[in-house]
Amino acid sequence: MPTKSPSTLAAGSSSTLDAGHVSGQRTARDRLLDAADELFYEDGVLSVGIDRIIERAGVAKATLYSVFGSKDELIRAYLHRRHLAREARITAKLALYDSPRDKLLALYEALDDLFADRTFRGCAFLNASAESHPGSTIAVVSDEYRGWLRALIVGLATDAGAKDPKQLAEQLTLLYDGAIVGAKMDRNPSIAGAARAVAETLVDAAIAG
């Protein structure tokens, strides 16, 4: 995303920009979220200050507070958008398959796509949670994402005929998390394939009962 020139930044105090849009351009909310998404994911939600975000977005500081009210709410919006993006990516991958068994394995194929992205820097929720404390906005939004992921896996495990769907879901979630950490720490995108192979063994054993 191009950085705005000083003259454009100065124009950020205009009523048109503060209203949340410039003709022919993305809204101020979109640009703030784009900037937050890049900077928070690259450098951490607590490390990145408001000034860096508004400079990257090309808006006035007053616009940020008008749109989101606080940095905390911007963090919430950033993580919520990450949740929706991951949900959409996984849902699209699962839709390629018919059986619950194959859908469970497709979770790790979705990871393969994620790891191949040159901007991959680990799990946004895990990274943010490392900077959070219990009850914080980060914790609340991360819990919502984790709840969705666990419910998805338990549902698929149940539909696949696993004898103990919750146990299988715990195993597959642990494997899912471990693959993300391994890909980040070892800089090894091929680990998704290894995770899928292990998942196949676990799923088939659980279905066989």
Side-chain angles (χ1 to χ4, degrees):
M1 179 182 299
T3 302
K4 301 294 182 181
S5 66
S7 60
T8 305
L9 290 174
S13 60
S14 69
S15 59
T16 302
L17 183 57
D18 286 343
H21 67 276
V22 176
S23 178
Q25 298 183 5
R26 293 172 63 77
T27 67
R29 177 184 175 83
D30 289 338
R31 285 180 286 138
L32 283 164
L33 270 177
D34 287 344
D37 190 83
E38 294 171 4
L39 294 172
F40 285 160
Y41 189 55
E42 289 173 0
D43 298 329
V45 294
L46 299 186
S47 301
V48 174
I50 291 298
D51 289 342
R52 287 186 63 192
I53 294 171
I54 62 175
E55 180 181 5
R56 178 72 64 89
V59 303
K61 182 177 291 188
T63 302
L64 185 148
Y65 289 107
S66 173
V67 174
F68 291 102
S70 67
K71 180 184 176 182
D72 204 43
E73 287 305 309
L74 178 59
I75 292 173
R76 183 193 303 276
Y78 152 68
L79 289 174
H80 181 64
R81 190 163 79 159
R82 283 272 168 173
H83 176 178
L84 294 180
R86 185 171 297 188
E87 183 175 339
R89 181 169 57 248
I90 290 175
T91 300
K93 181 65 69 172
L94 268 56
L96 299 176
Y97 299 91
D98 295 325
S99 74
R101 173 192 178 276
D102 290 342
K103 289 178 183 291
L104 282 170
L105 301 181
L107 283 169
Y108 303 91
E109 296 174 16
L111 285 182
D112 191 47
D113 296 339
L114 177 65
F115 300 163
D117 190 330
R118 62 182 180 80
T119 66
F120 173 71
R121 290 180 173 80
C123 175
F125 300 96
L126 178 60
N127 295 344
S129 293
E131 303 181 69
S132 72
H133 58 271
S136 67
T137 293
I138 294 172
V140 170
V141 181
S142 295
D143 285 348
E144 291 173 356
Y145 157 69
R146 294 293 288 180
W148 170 80
L149 181 64
R150 285 193 296 268
L152 173 67
I153 298 176
V154 169
L156 290 174
T158 300
D159 293 343
K163 182 178 180 180
D164 189 339
K166 290 186 178 180
Q167 181 182 64
L168 177 59
E170 288 177 356
Q171 294 169 340
L172 294 178
T173 301
L174 179 63
L175 182 61
Y176 185 90
D177 294 340
I180 293 175
V181 173
K184 171 66 167 60
M185 297 297 292
D186 299 333
R187 294 174 291 281
N188 178 18
S190 67
I191 200 170
R196 187 192 183 284
V198 176
E200 187 170 14
T201 300
L202 290 171
V203 170
D204 287 345
I207 293 175

